[in-house]
Amino acid sequence: MNAQPPGRIVLLTTSHRVAPGLLSWPAWQALRGADRVLCPDPDHPQLPYLHEAGIEVEHTAPDAPALVEECAENGRTVVVIPSGEGDRDLTDGLARLAGSGRVRMPELELLPASYDLPGARLLDLVQVMDTIRAECPWSSTQTHEGLAKYGIEEAYELVEAIEAGDRDELREELGDVLLQVVFHARIAEEDAAAPFSIDDVAGGIVDKLIHRHPHVFGEETAETPEDVKAHWLRTKAAEKRRESVTDGIPLGQPALALATKLAARVRTAGLEVDSPPPVGDGDIGGLLLAMAVRAEADGTDPEAALRAAARAYRDAIRRTEGVEMEEGSGEPRD
């Protein structure tokens, strides 16, 4: 039975997205049990917390051969806290020595002392947005009003990616929509009268989601999607205290989507509403409204249905023009 290699080198990695000092228990055990703790970066954010915990840290850049010799020959344990760049020279040097087969190696361990939780990259986005807002000549002058058109464009591009079934495009377009949210929240921080931040935005939607899901976070029950929708509508009505079912419906949205939303509110409220009087010769608007109401009642999204029909019509136009299409893509061939 082979003996374990003597000595131990521990590379202790941390995440800048987690508050300094919040280290895992195995990390604290390794730090307290080490013969030496090395860190090449004297400004590493973890150092004040290690000092407070009574752990002595040497500010030196470790040399791979010397470190291996010290640990392998003397059976010592050395913990290395890499700098933000990761200390590539050290890790490459250790890899070369281990792969050579000619050097007696100690145990090598990569120990995550802190790691990212889901959503941690959102912190990077907020930080990058802060920097861009402060230093970019274009971004630093933008306003809510000036960015409004981009929000609409990005929303439409997201819908297009969903309908196309392109996963890469969907991921990218979701990022573009998220950028609009973060950008507007960053601008809002500078408002002198009523400032708010991205944390206020996130906190608001968290509170809303919890309040509108009493069957998940409370004592109510919901067995079907219809039950869930009923909970949502009741809590929403209590929050908004609206006088009309039409309150809160943005009139600036596309006409077909507007008609569908109005029809959905009417149907949900159980109202009997007469069709509006004809407008103009032929009353095309009335006919379109009636078709939208009927589609909504049948569970069909008329906006999506019309877009699908329009895409098919576009393809028919291109075929008539003799434009070759990529097979299965619905897009013209280059």
Side-chain angles (χ1 to χ4, degrees):
M1 183 174 180
N2 295 330
Q4 290 292 325
R8 183 177 174 219
I9 299 175
V10 180
L11 299 179
L12 201 69
T13 61
T14 59
S15 171
H16 68 277
R17 303 180 189 95
V18 177
L22 298 180
L23 305 180
S24 65
W25 177 241
W28 283 114
Q29 287 181 308
L31 288 164
R32 292 188 181 282
D35 296 294
R36 296 175 68 196
V37 178
L38 311 179
C39 181
D41 182 5
D43 298 319
H44 197 290
Q46 298 289 349
L47 297 186
Y49 299 92
L50 299 184
H51 176 74
E52 187 175 344
I55 296 173
E56 182 179 350
V57 180
E58 302 175 38
H59 305 312
T60 181
D63 174 72
L67 198 60
V68 166
E69 182 179 357
E70 176 183 353
C71 294
E73 298 301 326
N74 302 316
R76 307 189 75 190
T77 295
V78 176
V79 173
V80 180
I81 305 174
S83 63
E85 285 71 32
D87 299 331
R88 187 69 177 271
D89 289 344
L90 173 63
T91 55
D92 286 352
L94 291 173
R96 283 194 297 271
L97 291 171
S100 69
R102 298 191 299 270
V103 178
R104 188 167 183 242
M105 294 294 294
E107 292 184 35
L108 299 177
E109 180 180 356
L110 181 64
L111 179 59
S114 61
Y115 47 88
D116 294 342
L117 297 174
R121 295 305 302 271
L122 294 175
L123 299 177
D124 290 346
L125 176 58
V126 172
Q127 185 178 40
V128 168
M129 190 69 251
D130 283 342
T131 302
I132 291 174
R133 179 65 174 174
E135 301 180 10
C136 174
W138 183 84
S139 298
S140 61
T141 62
Q142 295 307 300
T143 63
H144 294 304
E145 294 77 12
L147 292 176
K149 62 181 180 180
Y150 299 111
I152 296 172
E153 291 174 4
E154 299 300 352
Y156 277 124
E157 290 178 6
L158 171 61
V159 171
E160 186 174 345
I162 293 172
E163 293 177 341
D166 188 324
R167 301 294 294 178
D168 291 336
E169 192 72 14
L170 174 59
R171 175 178 50 78
E172 181 177 347
E173 296 304 337
L174 284 169
D176 290 342
V177 172
L178 179 58
L179 171 59
Q180 297 303 308
V181 175
V182 176
F183 204 161
H184 280 283
R186 180 61 184 82
I187 294 172
E189 289 186 42
E190 303 169 9
D191 189 279
F196 61 82
S197 69
I198 188 64
D199 289 318
D200 297 315
V201 174
I205 192 61
V206 166
D207 291 343
K208 179 185 290 186
L209 287 173
I210 292 174
H211 183 61
R212 293 188 184 178
H213 289 78
H215 54 291
V216 176
F217 302 101
E219 297 180 354
E220 296 193 35
T221 59
E223 302 295 336
T224 66
E226 289 72 22
D227 293 339
V228 174
K229 187 172 183 180
H231 283 318
W232 182 277
L233 293 174
R234 282 199 302 272
T235 54
K236 186 174 182 179
E239 290 169 3
K240 302 295 184 180
R241 293 186 174 87
R242 289 169 171 161
E243 296 180 354
S244 168
V245 297
T246 66
D247 290 347
I249 298 178
L251 299 180
Q253 62 184 302
L256 191 57
L258 172 60
T260 306
K261 189 67 174 180
L262 290 168
R265 290 281 183 91
V266 168
R267 180 177 54 80
T268 302
L271 299 176
E272 293 291 339
V273 181
D274 295 331
S275 299
V279 178
D281 294 338
D283 190 26
I284 297 299
L287 292 174
L288 292 173
L289 176 61
M291 294 182 68
V293 171
R294 189 181 74 180
E296 195 283 329
D298 291 340
T300 299
D301 180 358
E303 183 81 16
L306 182 57
R307 278 199 303 272
R311 286 197 300 273
Y313 186 43
R314 176 204 59 183
D315 294 345
I317 294 172
R318 287 175 170 167
R319 284 193 296 271
T320 301
E321 294 172 326
V323 178
E324 288 190 65
M325 310 293 289
E326 289 285 356
E327 185 175 352
S329 71
E331 296 298 330
R333 188 186 302 273
D334 291 334

PDB file of all heavy atoms in Angstrom, residues 17-31:
ATOM      1  N   ARG A  17     -17.301  38.215  -5.307  1.00  0.00           N
ATOM      2  CA  ARG A  17     -18.733  38.508  -5.230  1.00  0.00           C
ATOM      3  C   ARG A  17     -19.318  38.164  -3.862  1.00  0.00           C
ATOM      4  O   ARG A  17     -20.512  38.348  -3.640  1.00  0.00           O
ATOM      5  CB  ARG A  17     -19.479  37.753  -6.324  1.00  0.00           C
ATOM      6  CG  ARG A  17     -18.965  38.061  -7.723  1.00  0.00           C
ATOM      7  CD  ARG A  17     -19.709  37.296  -8.788  1.00  0.00           C
ATOM      8  NE  ARG A  17     -19.051  37.467 -10.075  1.00  0.00           N
ATOM      9  CZ  ARG A  17     -18.171  36.619 -10.576  1.00  0.00           C
ATOM     10  NH1 ARG A  17     -17.861  35.518  -9.902  1.00  0.00           N
ATOM     11  NH2 ARG A  17     -17.607  36.834 -11.745  1.00  0.00           N
ATOM     12  N   VAL A  18     -18.501  37.616  -2.980  1.00  0.00           N
ATOM     13  CA  VAL A  18     -18.925  37.295  -1.624  1.00  0.00           C
ATOM     14  C   VAL A  18     -18.159  38.196  -0.669  1.00  0.00           C
ATOM     15  O   VAL A  18     -16.963  38.431  -0.846  1.00  0.00           O
ATOM     16  CB  VAL A  18     -18.647  35.804  -1.299  1.00  0.00           C
ATOM     17  CG1 VAL A  18     -19.018  35.481   0.137  1.00  0.00           C
ATOM     18  CG2 VAL A  18     -19.414  34.906  -2.261  1.00  0.00           C
ATOM     19  N   ALA A  19     -18.832  38.704   0.347  1.00  0.00           N
ATOM     20  CA  ALA A  19     -18.194  39.626   1.292  1.00  0.00           C
ATOM     21  C   ALA A  19     -16.952  38.995   1.906  1.00  0.00           C
ATOM     22  O   ALA A  19     -16.972  37.828   2.316  1.00  0.00           O
ATOM     23  CB  ALA A  19     -19.181  40.013   2.385  1.00  0.00           C
ATOM     24  N   PRO A  20     -15.831  39.734   1.988  1.00  0.00           N
ATOM     25  CA  PRO A  20     -14.607  39.200   2.591  1.00  0.00           C
ATOM     26  C   PRO A  20     -14.865  38.728   4.023  1.00  0.00           C
ATOM     27  O   PRO A  20     -15.634  39.322   4.762  1.00  0.00           O
ATOM     28  CB  PRO A  20     -13.651  40.394   2.565  1.00  0.00           C
ATOM     29  CG  PRO A  20     -14.162  41.277   1.484  1.00  0.00           C
ATOM     30  CD  PRO A  20     -15.653  41.110   1.503  1.00  0.00           C
ATOM     31  N   GLY A  21     -14.191  37.654   4.397  1.00  0.00           N
ATOM     32  CA  GLY A  21     -14.358  37.104   5.739  1.00  0.00           C
ATOM     33  C   GLY A  21     -15.378  36.006   5.830  1.00  0.00           C
ATOM     34  O   GLY A  21     -15.384  35.237   6.796  1.00  0.00           O
ATOM     35  N   LEU A  22     -16.256  35.906   4.825  1.00  0.00           N
ATOM     36  CA  LEU A  22     -17.258  34.839   4.809  1.00  0.00           C
ATOM     37  C   LEU A  22     -16.652  33.620   4.111  1.00  0.00           C
ATOM     38  O   LEU A  22     -16.872  33.388   2.930  1.00  0.00           O
ATOM     39  CB  LEU A  22     -18.533  35.299   4.110  1.00  0.00           C
ATOM     40  CG  LEU A  22     -19.265  36.466   4.764  1.00  0.00           C
ATOM     41  CD1 LEU A  22     -20.516  36.827   3.957  1.00  0.00           C
ATOM     42  CD2 LEU A  22     -19.663  36.112   6.193  1.00  0.00           C
ATOM     43  N   LEU A  23     -15.887  32.852   4.861  1.00  0.00           N
ATOM     44  CA  LEU A  23     -15.184  31.696   4.317  1.00  0.00           C
ATOM     45  C   LEU A  23     -15.830  30.407   4.797  1.00  0.00           C
ATOM     46  O   LEU A  23     -16.463  30.361   5.856  1.00  0.00           O
ATOM     47  CB  LEU A  23     -13.710  31.732   4.739  1.00  0.00           C
ATOM     48  CG  LEU A  23     -12.929  33.004   4.403  1.00  0.00           C
ATOM     49  CD1 LEU A  23     -11.497  32.879   4.883  1.00  0.00           C
ATOM     50  CD2 LEU A  23     -12.981  33.306   2.918  1.00  0.00           C
ATOM     51  N   SER A  24     -15.642  29.344   4.030  1.00  0.00           N
ATOM     52  CA  SER A  24     -16.192  28.045   4.396  1.00  0.00           C
ATOM     53  C   SER A  24     -15.452  27.482   5.607  1.00  0.00           C
ATOM     54  O   SER A  24     -14.302  27.849   5.895  1.00  0.00           O
ATOM     55  CB  SER A  24     -16.089  27.083   3.216  1.00  0.00           C
ATOM     56  OG  SER A  24     -14.727  26.823   2.912  1.00  0.00           O
ATOM     57  N   TRP A  25     -16.112  26.555   6.301  1.00  0.00           N
ATOM     58  CA  TRP A  25     -15.478  25.948   7.474  1.00  0.00           C
ATOM     59  C   TRP A  25     -14.214  25.170   7.092  1.00  0.00           C
ATOM     60  O   TRP A  25     -13.185  25.289   7.782  1.00  0.00           O
ATOM     61  CB  TRP A  25     -16.476  25.046   8.179  1.00  0.00           C
ATOM     62  CG  TRP A  25     -15.910  24.315   9.365  1.00  0.00           C
ATOM     63  CD1 TRP A  25     -15.809  22.965   9.523  1.00  0.00           C
ATOM     64  CD2 TRP A  25     -15.331  24.899  10.539  1.00  0.00           C
ATOM     65  NE1 TRP A  25     -15.215  22.654  10.730  1.00  0.00           N
ATOM     66  CE2 TRP A  25     -14.908  23.834  11.375  1.00  0.00           C
ATOM     67  CE3 TRP A  25     -15.132  26.206  10.957  1.00  0.00           C
ATOM     68  CZ2 TRP A  25     -14.300  24.037  12.608  1.00  0.00           C
ATOM     69  CZ3 TRP A  25     -14.517  26.407  12.204  1.00  0.00           C
ATOM     70  CH2 TRP A  25     -14.112  25.345  13.006  1.00  0.00           C
ATOM     71  N   PRO A  26     -14.194  24.382   6.003  1.00  0.00           N
ATOM     72  CA  PRO A  26     -12.934  23.732   5.602  1.00  0.00           C
ATOM     73  C   PRO A  26     -11.810  24.735   5.342  1.00  0.00           C
ATOM     74  O   PRO A  26     -10.640  24.438   5.601  1.00  0.00           O
ATOM     75  CB  PRO A  26     -13.309  22.972   4.333  1.00  0.00           C
ATOM     76  CG  PRO A  26     -14.769  22.692   4.485  1.00  0.00           C
ATOM     77  CD  PRO A  26     -15.321  23.912   5.162  1.00  0.00           C
ATOM     78  N   ALA A  27     -12.163  25.914   4.851  1.00  0.00           N
ATOM     79  CA  ALA A  27     -11.139  26.935   4.603  1.00  0.00           C
ATOM     80  C   ALA A  27     -10.536  27.421   5.913  1.00  0.00           C
ATOM     81  O   ALA A  27      -9.307  27.554   6.045  1.00  0.00           O
ATOM     82  CB  ALA A  27     -11.741  28.102   3.832  1.00  0.00           C
ATOM     83  N   TRP A  28     -11.385  27.705   6.904  1.00  0.00           N
ATOM     84  CA  TRP A  28     -10.875  28.152   8.204  1.00  0.00           C
ATOM     85  C   TRP A  28     -10.032  27.044   8.852  1.00  0.00           C
ATOM     86  O   TRP A  28      -9.000  27.322   9.482  1.00  0.00           O
ATOM     87  CB  TRP A  28     -12.023  28.539   9.131  1.00  0.00           C
ATOM     88  CG  TRP A  28     -12.623  29.874   8.822  1.00  0.00           C
ATOM     89  CD1 TRP A  28     -13.873  30.145   8.379  1.00  0.00           C
ATOM     90  CD2 TRP A  28     -11.961  31.144   8.951  1.00  0.00           C
ATOM     91  NE1 TRP A  28     -14.058  31.499   8.207  1.00  0.00           N
ATOM     92  CE2 TRP A  28     -12.902  32.147   8.556  1.00  0.00           C
ATOM     93  CE3 TRP A  28     -10.693  31.550   9.349  1.00  0.00           C
ATOM     94  CZ2 TRP A  28     -12.599  33.504   8.562  1.00  0.00           C
ATOM     95  CZ3 TRP A  28     -10.384  32.913   9.354  1.00  0.00           C
ATOM     96  CH2 TRP A  28     -11.324  33.863   8.961  1.00  0.00           C
ATOM     97  N   GLN A  29     -10.451  25.789   8.700  1.00  0.00           N
ATOM     98  CA  GLN A  29      -9.665  24.686   9.251  1.00  0.00           C
ATOM     99  C   GLN A  29      -8.288  24.615   8.595  1.00  0.00           C
ATOM    100  O   GLN A  29      -7.270  24.407   9.284  1.00  0.00           O
ATOM    101  CB  GLN A  29     -10.406  23.359   9.045  1.00  0.00           C
ATOM    102  CG  GLN A  29     -11.619  23.167   9.951  1.00  0.00           C
ATOM    103  CD  GLN A  29     -12.292  21.841   9.708  1.00  0.00           C
ATOM    104  OE1 GLN A  29     -12.617  21.494   8.571  1.00  0.00           O
ATOM    105  NE2 GLN A  29     -12.493  21.065  10.755  1.00  0.00           N
ATOM    106  N   ALA A  30      -8.248  24.761   7.276  1.00  0.00           N
ATOM    107  CA  ALA A  30      -6.971  24.724   6.567  1.00  0.00           C
ATOM    108  C   ALA A  30      -6.072  25.876   6.995  1.00  0.00           C
ATOM    109  O   ALA A  30      -4.862  25.701   7.195  1.00  0.00           O
ATOM    110  CB  ALA A  30      -7.210  24.758   5.061  1.00  0.00           C
ATOM    111  N   LEU A  31      -6.638  27.052   7.144  1.00  0.00           N
ATOM    112  CA  LEU A  31      -5.853  28.221   7.547  1.00  0.00           C
ATOM    113  C   LEU A  31      -5.284  28.053   8.945  1.00  0.00           C
ATOM    114  O   LEU A  31      -4.115  28.378   9.209  1.00  0.00           O
ATOM    115  CB  LEU A  31      -6.725  29.479   7.472  1.00  0.00           C
ATOM    116  CG  LEU A  31      -7.069  29.977   6.068  1.00  0.00           C
ATOM    117  CD1 LEU A  31      -8.221  30.966   6.111  1.00  0.00           C
ATOM    118  CD2 LEU A  31      -5.844  30.620   5.415  1.00  0.00           C
TER     119      LEU A  31
END
